[in-house]
């Protein structure tokens, strides 16, 4: 019974961590500097009116904004450990349990819904015809199933704080 309570608590903590991340990070001196899409847009360099002459390739590369930093599994485990007070080993086990539970539910045909965060479901893709982009030859693409995620209202509100 105690183990079940711990797993449920870890599941809720993991969901809380995901929502807190806001899904967007940028490169900065702090590896965990979380930014919302609005902050990313404000931090992006402003584009100037392009001159009529062709710019050198190096100048064009300097105008592009940096890609967001990736929040990897190790970072996720560390964040869970800090928020819950568990060891990194226990946090990694909890994360693995949550991901495995979601995967099993999807394989068994369930829709996984977490209020305020979002829902996972399986989407069916029918067989169809496609083209090989290199040769232009028509090919048959077989039917498949793919997981999909739909963000919930709570997550959308955290990502768009100015849209109320």
């Amino acid at each position: 019974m105690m183990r079940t309570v711990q797993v449920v608590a870890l599941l809720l903590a993991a969901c809380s961590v995901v929502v807190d991340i806001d899904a967007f990070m940028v490169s900065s001196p702090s590896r965990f500097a979380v930014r919302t899409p609005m902050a990313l847009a404000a931090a992006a360099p402003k584009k100037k009116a392009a001159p009529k002459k062709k710019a050198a390739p190096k100048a064009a590369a300097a105008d592009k904004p940096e890609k967001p930093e990736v929040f990897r599994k190790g970072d996720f485990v560390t964040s869970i450990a800090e928020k819950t007070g568990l060891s990194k080993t226990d946090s990694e086990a909890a994360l693995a349990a949550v991901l495995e539970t979601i995967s099993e539910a999807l394989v068994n045909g369930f829709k996984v819904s977490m209020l305020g965060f979002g829902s996972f479901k399986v989407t069916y893709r029918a067989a169809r015809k496609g083209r090989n982009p290199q040769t232009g030859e028509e090919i048959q693409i077989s039917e498949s199933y793919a997981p999909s995620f739909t963000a919930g209202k709570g997550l959308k509100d955290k990502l768009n704080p100015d849209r109320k």
Side-chain angles (χ1 to χ4, degrees):
M1 176 68 177
M2 184 62 168
R3 193 69 167 162
T4 305
V5 171
Q6 288 177 335
V7 169
V8 170
L10 291 174
L11 172 64
L12 294 174
C15 292
S16 169
V17 169
V18 171
V19 171
D20 288 343
I21 293 168
D22 285 345
F24 290 94
M25 302 186 73
V26 294
S27 297
S28 67
S30 171
R31 186 166 183 193
F32 298 104
V34 177
R35 304 288 176 152
T36 62
M38 298 301 285
L40 287 174
K46 305 292 183 204
K47 290 187 177 181
K48 297 181 181 178
K52 295 196 178 190
K53 296 179 185 178
K54 288 187 177 180
K58 290 183 181 178
D63 290 340
K64 292 183 181 179
E66 292 183 30
K67 290 183 179 180
E69 186 175 336
V70 178
F71 196 76
R72 292 186 165 65
K73 183 179 177 183
D75 301 330
F76 201 89
V77 168
T78 302
S79 183
I80 291 172
E82 289 172 358
K83 289 182 183 273
T84 61
L86 297 172
S87 68
K88 286 187 178 181
T89 305
D90 289 341
S91 297
E92 187 170 6
L95 177 60
V98 169
L99 296 177
E100 182 63 27
T101 303
I102 291 172
S103 299
E104 286 175 358
L106 292 174
V107 166
N108 292 326
F110 290 99
K111 177 179 179 179
V112 180
S113 180
M114 295 181 206
L115 188 63
F117 178 69
S119 59
F120 298 89
K121 66 180 180 179
V122 177
T123 305
Y124 172 75
R125 293 184 183 163
R128 61 195 185 278
K129 292 182 181 177
R131 292 208 176 266
N132 181 333
Q134 291 180 339
T135 64
E137 176 187 354
E138 192 172 275
I139 58 172
Q140 183 65 30
I141 301 171
S142 61
E143 66 179 8
S144 64
Y145 294 91
S148 63
F149 175 76
T150 303
K153 185 178 183 317
L155 181 57
K156 288 180 185 177
D157 289 346
K158 282 196 167 207
L159 292 174
N160 301 296
D162 297 335
R163 296 176 81 194
K164 293 256 174 169

